[in-house]
Amino acid sequence: MTTALQTGRRLIVTTALLAAAVGCSDEGPSAASCAYLVTYGDRSYLGAEDEDFAVGERLGTATVPECDDTPDDAEVAVPQGKITAYAVKGMDPDVAIAVGDAPAEATLMRFHRAVR
């Protein structure tokens, strides 16, 4: 697969995940308060700027937390979801992971904080 095709797929997945994370609102993008966040194990990770990285082995399943940044409108709440977590070659999973439905569509996520 070409680098351009991989980059295109990553952008599509990133856009779809970001849209799911922020939900839909008639108030415009400034009204959204949900960040693209996943939890894997006892750590949370935030979506990182798209940079070159290589996806490693499948680690397991990460959780995308529920997002309801418009509590008065239940129709725009995004329910909790699951997504596959992958290692990032050359990086410890404590620092970064990749998430996506397939390795070629994975998005880089960097450590945010420990989950209690």
Side-chain angles (χ1 to χ4, degrees), residues 30-101:
S30 63
S33 61
C34 299
Y36 183 49
L37 179 78
V38 300
T39 56
Y40 174 73
D42 62 350
R43 297 168 135 343
S44 66
Y45 299 81
L46 282 172
E49 292 293 321
D50 195 28
E51 58 185 77
D52 288 335
F53 66 96
V55 176
E57 66 185 45
R58 183 183 191 280
L59 297 173
T61 302
T63 301
V64 180
E66 176 183 26
C67 175
D68 184 7
D69 64 346
T70 54
D72 294 333
D73 190 351
E75 291 182 19
V76 296
V78 177
Q80 177 176 302
K82 301 289 184 186
I83 194 162
T84 303
Y86 299 94
V88 175
K89 290 183 181 177
M91 298 181 111
D92 188 303
D94 288 345
V95 174
I97 61 173
V99 297
D101 292 329

Side-chain angles (χ1 to χ4, degrees), residues 42-43 113-116:
D42 62 350
R43 297 168 135 343
R113 67 175 179 231
V115 178
R116 299 185 200 276

Side-chain angles (χ1 to χ4, degrees), residues 20-34:
V22 299
C24 298
S25 173
D26 291 334
E27 298 173 25
S30 63
S33 61
C34 299

